[in-house]
Amino acid sequence: MSAVTTIRFFAAARAAVGQDDTTTDADTLGAALAAVPAVDAERWAVLRERCSYLVDGVTTRDLDTALTGVVLVDVMPPFAGG
């Protein structure tokens, strides 16, 4: 497993998961996101497919992105209806 990574949630993602941030030691972005307990699981499942992610400041939508050595992931839902 990788080191601990902090995941921060913004806007609609924060509302769906019910928290500002969490930590994970998952190997990939997709595994980390799938393991997040959400207050609105259905909405969170839809949002995961539509969000962009900043992985240590680099934008990606690839859920196979490795989290080895990654310190911070920001979950960025579409804004302004995007």
Side-chain angles (χ1 to χ4, degrees), residues 47-65:
L47 278 171
R48 286 194 318 254
E49 299 298 319
R50 299 185 63 215
C51 287
S52 292
Y53 304 95
L54 293 177
V55 178
D56 278 346
V58 178
T59 302
T60 188
R61 295 189 78 179
D62 182 1
L63 297 181
D64 291 327
T65 299

Side-chain angles (χ1 to χ4, degrees), residues 19-52:
Q19 57 189 343
D20 292 331
D21 58 48
T22 190
T23 58
T24 183
D25 62 357
D27 293 327
T28 66
L29 179 59
L33 298 172
V36 171
V39 296
D40 187 341
E42 185 175 326
R43 185 175 182 197
W44 175 231
V46 171
L47 278 171
R48 286 194 318 254
E49 299 298 319
R50 299 185 63 215
C51 287
S52 292

